Amino acid sequence: MESSVNLVKAFEEVEEIIVKNDYTTARDELIKLQQLHPAEMDQIGSLLKLCEVLSAAEFRLSGDSGGVDHYWVLQVPPSSSFCDIENHYKNTLEALHPLRTRNFAGAELALELVEKAFVVLSERERRAEFDSERSAARRESGYRTVSYDLMPGGGDSKKLVISEPLLDSNSLDGIPFQDYYNFENDRRPEKIEAGQIWAAHFKGNYSGRNSRYALVCLSSDEVVSVTWLEPIPVTASERRWCDAGLPVSCGSFALVMEMTCKVTWSTISSHKCAWVRGVVEDQFEIYPRKGEIWAIYSDWNVDEWAYYSLDTLKDCEFELVEILSDFSKYTGAECAYLAKVDGFKRVFERKTSGGSANTTPVTIHIRPGMFYMFSHKVPAYIFVGGEIDGVVEGMFELDQLALPDYMINGISTKKSSEFENVIKFSCTTIIPTGLSFFEPHWSANDFCRGQIWAVSCGKDLMPRQYTRLDDVVSESEVRVTFLEPLPVGDTEIGWRKENLPITCGVFKARGTSVKIGLSQFSYLVRFQQRRGEFYKIWPLKGEIWAVYKDWNGKWKHRDHDASQCQVVQVLSDSTEGDAGVIKIARLEEVKGCLTFFQRKQCYGFDLTGVVSKAEMLSFSHRIPAFRVPGIGRHGVPESAWHLEPNALPSK
């Protein structure tokens, strides 16, 4: 009984504060009541909505109009669709209706403001006219700053720490949010140690035009001695990108001793990086990892952007993605797009397709050769749920220093469909680069339904058998259906009868789906799918293959010697040039390096040749191969390929 009396008294006190037009104080008191009386959530929520609407109406546009900002009244960003505006309008009416029936102070005014805002924003011509007035007012003088706390200060660590105003001239287009997680704690000077690699925040000014990362040599309270890391480009497009001075955040990096200098801690204090050692001692590999948040360039194209300047890049837009699987130099990575959560400035969640009722995330597969589209990692705090009203488990608060201003101050007008086309962007090559360990350590995250993989088979365990991935069973097993070749012509039919391996041609998924371990998988196959369960697999440009020596289409099983092979690079596939003819170049082992191969030459000329369609059976199997950046300083030609040892014929 006493509790009810106290609650009624508290409501009366709040009403008196509202009558005095002190909506900020009233809102603070209501939040306290919300914590003490969660059962009265509906009534308190109505009063909170009233305070939000009336306080928003206090901020007038400058200039001749001096009118109310209708977007603020409805608490929607200017980029909102009509459906979003209508939903916010209906929800606001529903929240305010109980106060109207009680003749609560300010209820009629709030409803009038909401109705007028909806009328203006729901009609195309009126909205366009208002947008023009609003833009002119913003250019003239902006808005004034006001303190508007989300939650009262104090309390335990689960409670929000007030740190900034509700609305100011830097947050005109976004609904505000105050910090919950303090990212500054993660980059305090006492956190730094020699031997760590730290990333410079992408807005900062730092030494080294391409450099995002610095190795800490020695630190003090204010000044840190660092050596900057320089990216190691491999393809021609990557080299042009680096020559243009554009920053690189993924790939292989080398220490550049002449880039050792002293910097202030704030210069590089974005976040500490996770890395692995490269092929050689002074190389480091940095790639996105599962669970991290990264910014990717919108409308990215490595070839076109390589001719841009650093100043041009400052105006580009980004998309934010959550990394769903560790970036693999074999398969790339799966990522989920993020979208800003309504009502917050720096809280994001996975973007979903098909409306709010559908929980299917909008995803993108970033191929191995596309990692230059990653702009930078964004430090993030993942909510467990319950920390703040409106925030649920799985949402992220993102570090403001790692977000472009337009993401904090407003919402990009680009639509998700524009970004879904990013997987179609062209690359000079999709061959992974910078590999340090050639025995693949697959995880379940590297596999998804419908992929075609090569698996090791036979006495020599070469990757000559293809499988279609049907399902991921566990962290160590997947379910697959084996592909069988469909021979065409007498030669292929004869090979099939002799049970000789066929690795080129048309294949079909047949038989029962079976479980196999991840250790049997060699590489992800690129293929063309035909109608039904038919798959066309041919050597493709840029791939490395083993070709039988002295091949003869009339071989019998007893004549087949898988170890008698030579290594070639495919220069053109069957879709280029003469129909059905594949151009190849002979490779030879780099002297003293068992797994490094380079072009074989005679009198300064590459040894090249062609393989006709009738000779496709001469291809034994594909050998996973990768360019190793920076290897030239160790006496190995930069043009050399590092071949997967387990796929090399024994002789």
Side-chain angles (χ1 to χ4, degrees):
M1 180 68 179
E2 182 178 352
S3 176
S4 299
V5 172
N6 292 338
L7 183 60
V8 172
K9 184 178 179 180
F11 279 143
E12 291 175 350
E13 293 175 353
V14 168
E15 185 172 3
E16 291 177 4
I17 297 173
I18 293 175
V19 170
K20 295 177 182 179
N21 299 332
D22 188 357
Y23 306 119
T24 301
T25 302
R27 190 173 189 275
D28 289 346
E29 295 299 320
L30 288 168
I31 291 175
K32 293 178 183 178
L33 290 176
Q34 200 173 46
Q35 295 172 337
L36 296 173
H37 305 278
E40 301 295 329
M41 189 70 71
D42 290 342
Q43 187 173 358
I44 296 174
S46 294
L47 292 173
L48 281 172
K49 181 61 68 176
L50 177 72
C51 292
E52 291 169 355
V53 172
L54 294 178
S55 63
E58 284 191 326
F59 303 100
R60 301 288 176 135
L61 300 175
S62 62
D64 296 334
S65 64
V68 172
D69 191 327
H70 300 306
Y71 290 111
W72 284 11
V73 170
L74 287 183
Q75 296 182 328
V76 295
S79 58
S80 297
S81 64
F82 171 75
C83 291
D84 291 334
I85 292 172
E86 186 177 35
N87 288 336
H88 278 269
Y89 165 70
K90 291 180 179 178
N91 292 336
T92 304
L93 286 185
E94 184 177 355
L96 294 175
H97 182 71
L99 301 180
R100 184 177 190 178
T101 58
R102 292 172 45 201
N103 294 321
F104 198 91
E108 287 293 337
L109 176 59
L111 287 166
E112 180 181 341
L113 290 166
V114 171
E115 291 286 352
K116 184 176 181 180
F118 180 69
V119 169
V120 172
L121 300 182
S122 61
E123 296 183 16
R124 180 177 300 178
E125 293 183 0
R126 289 193 180 187
R127 183 176 179 179
E129 182 180 355
F130 173 72
D131 287 344
S132 178
E133 293 176 357
R134 184 176 185 272
S135 297
R138 290 178 59 188
R139 288 193 297 269
E140 183 174 335
S141 64
Y143 294 86
R144 49 191 188 116
T145 301
V146 64
S147 175
Y148 198 175
D149 302 331
L150 182 65
M151 293 181 66
D156 57 31
S157 61
K158 285 290 185 182
K159 295 181 180 179
L160 186 62
V161 178
I162 301 166
S163 66
E164 66 180 52
L166 170 68
L167 297 169
D168 57 41
S169 60
N170 293 323
S171 58
L172 304 178
D173 292 336
I175 304 303
F177 172 68
Q178 290 69 39
D179 293 331
Y180 177 81
Y181 185 80
N182 189 353
F183 291 97
E184 293 300 327
N185 287 337
D186 294 336
R187 44 181 173 251
R188 295 197 306 269
E190 57 266 29
K191 297 274 189 177
I192 188 173
E193 297 179 7
Q196 296 174 339
I197 293 179
W198 281 76
H201 60 78
F202 90 109
K203 297 179 183 178
N205 296 317
Y206 45 88
S207 175
R209 53 183 187 166
N210 305 113
S211 304
R212 288 281 197 207
Y213 306 110
L215 176 69
V216 176
C217 304
L218 186 65
S219 67
S220 62
D221 290 340
E222 296 296 333
V223 178
V224 182
S225 176
V226 302
T227 300
W228 291 93
L229 273 60
E230 187 175 61
I232 306 175
V234 175
T235 68
S237 297
E238 292 171 6
R239 285 191 289 272
R240 286 195 297 270
W241 180 284
C242 291
D243 289 342
L246 304 181
V248 178
S249 295
C250 294
S252 294
F253 298 82
L255 284 174
V256 184
M257 301 313 297
E258 57 267 27
M259 292 175 63
T260 298
C261 59
K262 292 183 178 180
V263 297
T264 58
W265 181 232
S266 60
T267 302
I268 61 171
S269 57
S270 177
H271 61 274
K272 185 171 65 175
C273 299
W275 53 273
V276 296
R277 185 72 65 182
V279 177
V280 294
E281 183 67 21
D282 57 352
Q283 285 188 16
F284 305 86
E285 294 188 346
I286 301 174
Y287 290 98
R289 296 191 174 189
K290 181 180 179 181
E292 294 178 344
I293 306 301
W294 281 70
I296 60 175
Y297 296 111
S298 301
D299 304 325
W300 173 86
N301 186 302
V302 67
D303 293 302
E304 292 181 6
W305 287 32
Y307 297 100
Y308 290 178
S309 67
L310 189 58
D311 290 335
T312 305
L313 208 60
K314 291 179 180 178
D315 297 326
C316 72
E317 291 198 347
F318 302 89
E319 279 285 282
L320 298 177
V321 295
E322 176 190 356
I323 309 300
L324 302 182
S325 61
D326 289 350
F327 187 91
S328 166
K329 289 158 289 187
Y330 296 94
T331 58
E334 292 292 327
C335 307
Y337 283 114
L338 299 186
K340 185 180 287 189
V341 177
D342 288 343
F344 300 97
K345 285 180 67 176
R346 294 187 296 279
V347 176
F348 288 75
E349 62 182 345
R350 288 185 183 177
K351 184 182 296 184
T352 57
S353 59
S356 58
N358 193 327
T359 59
T360 303
V362 178
T363 61
I364 174 179
H365 177 74
I366 297 180
R367 299 197 303 267
M370 298 175 67
F371 57 82
Y372 268 35
M373 76 182 302
F374 286 104
S375 169
H376 59 280
K377 177 186 172 183
V378 180
Y381 170 81
I382 183 169
F383 289 99
V384 297
E387 293 97 332
I388 303 172
D389 290 340
V391 172
V392 299
E393 180 181 1
M395 290 182 177
F396 301 91
E397 180 185 354
L398 304 183
D399 184 5
Q400 180 172 346
L401 282 181
L403 295 177
D405 292 337
Y406 78 85
M407 281 192 180
I408 303 171
N409 304 336
I411 298 179
S412 174
T413 57
K414 285 184 176 287
K415 303 300 181 182
S416 61
S417 60
E418 297 177 26
F419 299 105
E420 291 167 6
N421 292 328
V422 74
I423 58 174
K424 300 178 182 177
F425 292 158
S426 62
C427 285
T428 301
T429 175
I430 64 170
I431 296 175
T433 62
L435 190 67
S436 58
F437 302 103
F438 280 80
E439 289 190 10
H441 299 282
W442 305 117
S443 72
N445 294 322
D446 294 313
F447 299 88
C448 65
R449 183 182 178 88
Q451 293 175 332
I452 302 298
W453 284 80
V455 296
S456 302
C457 64
K459 293 181 180 180
D460 56 358
L461 295 178
M462 293 293 104
R464 297 192 184 95
Q465 178 70 61
Y466 300 128
T467 63
R468 183 193 64 198
L469 198 118
D470 298 328
D471 192 19
V472 177
V473 178
S474 67
E475 288 297 321
S476 59
E477 284 188 321
V478 295
R479 187 178 293 278
V480 301
T481 299
F482 285 91
L483 304 189
E484 293 185 5
L486 299 179
V488 178
D490 295 340
T491 302
E492 291 185 14
I493 293 174
W495 269 59
R496 183 63 176 161
K497 288 181 179 179
E498 288 291 328
N499 200 27
L500 293 173
I502 297 177
T503 55
C504 301
V506 179
F507 299 80
K508 180 176 175 59
R510 285 179 176 170
T512 305
S513 182
V514 297
K515 294 181 184 178
I516 62 174
L518 303 189
S519 61
Q520 292 183 242
F521 289 86
S522 177
Y523 63 88
L524 185 65
V525 178
R526 294 181 287 175
F527 63 92
Q528 293 179 347
Q529 186 166 6
R530 294 185 158 185
R531 288 180 298 176
E533 297 182 333
F534 295 91
Y535 306 90
K536 182 180 180 181
I537 301 173
W538 295 101
L540 298 178
K541 183 178 180 180
E543 294 179 344
I544 306 298
W545 280 71
V547 178
Y548 297 121
K549 291 182 179 179
D550 303 320
W551 173 82
N552 189 313
K554 297 181 180 180
W555 276 359
K556 301 297 183 182
H557 187 77
R558 64 179 180 272
D559 301 321
H560 178 258
D561 187 351
S563 66
Q564 296 295 328
C565 290
Q566 58 188 14
V567 180
V568 301
Q569 178 187 0
V570 179
L571 302 181
S572 68
D573 53 49
S574 59
T575 63
E576 299 181 1
D578 298 331
V581 173
I582 294 179
K583 296 179 181 179
I584 60 173
R586 177 79 180 277
L587 301 185
E588 65 178 354
E589 180 185 308
V590 176
K591 187 176 181 180
C593 301
L594 297 179
T595 59
F596 283 91
F597 281 68
Q598 62 182 342
R599 293 272 185 93
K600 185 176 179 63
Q601 293 189 330
C602 183
Y603 299 107
F605 295 94
D606 293 341
L607 291 182
T608 62
V610 295
V611 179
S612 67
K613 186 175 182 181
E615 299 171 317
M616 289 299 176
L617 291 175
S618 63
F619 283 99
S620 169
H621 60 280
R622 179 185 161 192
I623 305 174
F626 310 93
R627 291 289 181 88
V628 179
I631 206 67
R633 70 188 71 177
H634 299 276
V636 179
E638 288 283 354
S639 59
W641 295 85
H642 192 181
L643 275 55
E644 164 63 64
N646 290 339
L648 276 173
S650 58
K651 296 184 181 181

